[in-house]
Amino acid sequence: VAPTTPVCEVPSSAMTGTVVQLSCKETEGSPPSEYQWYKNGVALLEKTGTGSARAANITYIMNKKSGTLLFNTVTKNDTGEYFCEASNGIGLSQKCSVKRMQV
């Protein structure tokens, strides 16, 4: 079953240095969807702890299975427009509407 449009939860504002979690979920897809977060239209890298992700000074943890995007300490650099995409290899992937987070 193809995924439906996911529901994204993005805080509109956050204080610098706080923990912020963005979430993305859809329940119709079978097999379960994987989730990819985007910031300002660019796909976010999944942090693996090695290589380019660390070099890029990534400050978040993206879980493709649960759809969460967790910032341990947000900075002004994390301000931007976020959306997520759900896909499970069946039908078209689905995106939620873009939401702006101001840090």
Side-chain angles (χ1 to χ4, degrees):
V1 179
T4 56
T5 302
V7 175
C8 296
E9 291 182 20
V10 178
S12 57
S13 64
M15 293 289 291
T16 304
T18 59
V19 175
V20 177
Q21 180 169 297
L22 283 56
S23 67
C24 178
K25 199 77 187 153
E26 72 81 32
T27 53
E28 300 294 314
S30 180
S33 291
E34 288 208 341
Y35 302 97
Q36 170 68 51
W37 278 96
Y38 293 80
K39 177 187 174 187
N40 299 331
V42 179
L44 293 175
L45 294 168
E46 193 166 18
K47 187 173 187 176
T48 54
T50 57
S52 63
R54 182 172 289 179
N57 195 21
I58 288 177
T59 58
Y60 58 80
I61 300 164
M62 179 171 60
N63 186 323
K64 291 193 169 193
K65 298 270 188 243
S66 69
T68 57
L69 182 63
L70 179 68
F71 294 92
N72 282 325
T73 52
V74 292
T75 67
K76 287 194 180 346
N77 293 338
D78 296 318
T79 295
E81 297 188 336
Y82 291 85
F83 70 89
C84 109
E85 180 179 68
S87 59
N88 66 355
I90 298 169
L92 295 171
S93 59
Q94 298 288 333
K95 299 178 176 73
C96 66
S97 58
V98 174
K99 295 185 179 175
R100 183 168 176 81
M101 179 172 76
Q102 182 73 42
V103 180

